[in-house]
Amino acid sequence: MTTLDGLRGAMNAAGVDALWVSDPANVRALSGFSSGEDGKVLVTPEGATLYTDARYTVQAQEEARVPVHIARPPETYRDAAARVKGQRVGFEAEHLTVAGLEALREHWDAQLVPTRGLVERVRLVKTPEEVQLIREAQALADRVFAEVRPNIQAGVRELDVALELEQGLRRAGAEVGFAVIVASGPRGAMPHGVASDRVIEDGELVTIDFGARLNGYHSDMTRTVAVGTPSEELRRVYNAVLEAEEAAVAAVRPGVKGGDLDALAREILNRHHLGEAFAHSLGHGVGLKIHEGPSLRAGSEDVLEPGMVVTVEPGAYLPGVGGVRIEDLVLVTEGGYEVLSRTPKERL
């Protein structure tokens, strides 16, 4: 079943005849057009049409899997008006701007209906082709990390480590998926501690979270590494997080709820008296966006299915001391799971 086939079922369930898609990742998922920020897709029972402007004439012809209409607003809306006249047309309430909605109302004789998550729900399960693209992005990131790891040592700035990772990704043909996190020493207590000019010192832990974006698809991985010999307390925290991470990964399989995986990891950290130091959810889906469904957070009812790609990333953060996060990228398979991130996890 194609993404469009699955979407039409979701549209029927939502009670809409057509859908105006404006979120860039969803535009790409439905059409194949890689500049989704400058495109829209109209999905109707008869088919789908990509709307973009003349800057992308050649690119859209090469990439798009659906018919392309080259025009700028308001011509875009006028062309689509005939296709949606008298229909209930859904729009992406979490992305379409107020100005964009007003433009649709001005040009369309249609009932406009806010929708949430229709395309995203179809995108939860990746196609084999999407899995391969994510696999390639993660393999590239693993290679880059292996090149940079020997340079993570005392006397080096966090920014220097981040720069090496970013340059490595770009030299390998990828984009930097998100702001690189390099958090050393006490800054390790910041879950989103993007690289600073702090100099790494001997005996510290350094948390590194980065990912590649390759052909539009993301990878995501975190490793916490030791510089010199960390204190007994830091080693205790590290090993507790490692235990929680490996147990949660081993529990990944179809039919498991995201909230149950979170609870499993959280209970292990509770036993190590680190439950309150686990300040975020266990993980999230990865694909065309770095953060997408399913959610592996406390109470999540999202059920894992084969073809989903998720992160498993417990952490513990101690203000004034430091922190640890360990994250793997995991594919849900028919029989359980496959870890896509191959970088070894250090044993302290």
Side-chain angles (χ1 to χ4, degrees), residues 35-65:
S35 296
E37 66 278 4
D38 288 314
K40 305 288 189 294
V41 171
L42 176 64
V43 182
T44 66
E46 293 75 33
T49 302
L50 169 67
Y51 290 89
T52 189
D53 62 69
R55 295 173 296 168
Y56 300 102
T57 300
V58 174
Q59 179 182 334
Q61 289 174 343
E62 291 181 350
E63 296 179 344
R65 300 186 297 266

Side-chain angles (χ1 to χ4, degrees), residues 6-271:
L7 177 60
R8 288 197 177 92
M11 290 165 56
N12 289 336
V16 295
D17 305 304
L19 183 66
W20 183 247
V21 179
S22 55
D23 179 273
N26 292 339
V27 169
R28 181 166 188 163
L30 294 173
S31 69
F33 181 53
S34 64
S35 296
E37 66 278 4
D38 288 314
K40 305 288 189 294
V41 171
L42 176 64
V43 182
T44 66
E46 293 75 33
T49 302
L50 169 67
Y51 290 89
T52 189
D53 62 69
R55 295 173 296 168
Y56 300 102
T57 300
V58 174
Q59 179 182 334
Q61 289 174 343
E62 291 181 350
E63 296 179 344
R65 300 186 297 266
V66 299
V68 179
H69 186 89
I70 301 295
R72 285 185 177 275
E75 288 79 10
T76 299
Y77 306 127
R78 291 169 182 160
D79 176 84
R83 306 171 193 259
V84 300
K85 185 175 181 179
Q87 297 186 12
R88 285 172 56 86
V89 183
F91 64 89
E92 296 182 301
E94 294 171 319
H95 186 268
L96 188 68
T97 64
V98 173
L101 178 59
E102 289 177 347
L104 298 183
R105 286 173 171 159
E106 179 182 352
H107 291 94
W108 289 0
D109 179 14
Q111 182 180 354
L112 294 168
V113 180
T115 66
R116 290 175 174 81
L118 293 188
V119 184
E120 287 84 352
R121 283 195 288 276
V122 177
R123 287 175 43 218
L124 288 172
V125 175
K126 274 52 180 179
T127 65
E129 294 77 16
E130 289 180 305
V131 170
Q132 181 59 27
L133 290 171
I134 296 170
R135 188 189 302 276
E136 291 172 0
Q138 182 57 57
L140 185 151
D142 282 328
R143 293 195 300 271
V144 170
F145 188 87
E147 295 169 357
V148 174
R149 175 62 184 98
N151 300 326
I152 304 172
Q153 52 187 302
V156 174
R157 295 185 309 164
E158 294 174 353
L159 282 170
D160 296 325
V161 175
L163 181 59
E164 286 194 47
L165 291 169
E166 292 173 4
Q167 289 178 333
L169 292 174
R170 294 189 179 279
R171 280 195 299 266
E175 300 172 86
V176 181
F178 51 90
V180 177
I181 292 172
V182 181
S184 64
R187 291 192 74 252
M190 303 167 59
H192 281 183
V194 295
S196 73
D197 61 0
R198 185 182 187 278
V199 175
I200 298 169
E201 298 181 10
D202 188 63
E204 293 184 338
L205 295 181
V206 184
T207 297
I208 298 161
D209 187 349
F210 83 116
R213 183 167 61 240
L214 186 64
N215 297 314
Y217 285 82
H218 289 81
S219 72
D220 195 3
M221 179 181 72
T222 305
R223 291 292 184 265
T224 297
V225 302
V227 175
T229 303
S231 67
E232 182 178 344
E233 173 65 3
L234 287 175
R235 292 199 304 272
R236 182 187 76 84
V237 174
Y238 180 92
N239 288 319
V241 172
L242 180 61
E243 178 186 345
E245 198 267 349
E246 292 184 335
V249 168
V252 170
R253 64 183 183 277
V256 172
K257 292 181 180 179
D260 291 341
L261 290 175
D262 182 280
L264 170 64
R266 208 167 292 276
E267 175 56 30
I268 291 172
L269 290 175
N270 278 330
R271 292 205 303 266

